[in-house]
Amino acid sequence: MPATPSVHRRALITWAAVYATLMLVQLLLEPVISPLPQALRTLVVTAIVVPVVVYLLVPALLRVNARLHRRDR
C-alpha cells in the first residue's frame, strides 16, 4: 500500500487542480455568465469546479503521484 503523501503535497495537488479547473471553467463560461451578478457567477463556477476537482482530478492526480513515488524508489 503506497504511503499517503504529506499534507503539503496534497495541498499542492489540490491547489493545482482547483486553479486549472477554475481558469478553464471561467474561460469557457465567461460569455454565458458575464451578465450575471458576481455572487451568481461564483455560484455557477464553484458548482462545476468543486465536484470535478473532488471526484475526478484530485483522485487522479493522487494516483499519478503514487505511481511517480513508486518509480522513484
Side-chain angles (χ1 to χ4, degrees):
M1 179 168 192
T4 303
S6 72
V7 67
H8 306 297
R9 185 170 289 216
R10 288 191 318 263
L12 180 62
I13 288 168
T14 303
W15 174 82
V18 168
Y19 179 78
T21 308
L22 276 172
M23 293 301 296
L24 182 63
V25 169
Q26 287 176 350
L27 284 171
L28 293 175
L29 293 184
E30 196 272 332
V32 177
I33 66 173
S34 62
L36 299 174
Q38 180 68 43
L40 194 50
R41 286 195 310 257
T42 302
L43 178 67
V44 169
V45 169
T46 57
I48 295 167
V49 169
V50 170
V52 168
V53 167
V54 169
Y55 294 114
L56 298 175
L57 292 179
V58 169
L61 290 172
L62 288 173
R63 285 191 298 274
V64 169
N65 179 71
R67 269 185 259 143
L68 291 174
H69 182 70
R70 278 195 306 266
R71 188 171 20 152
D72 288 343
R73 288 184 158 199

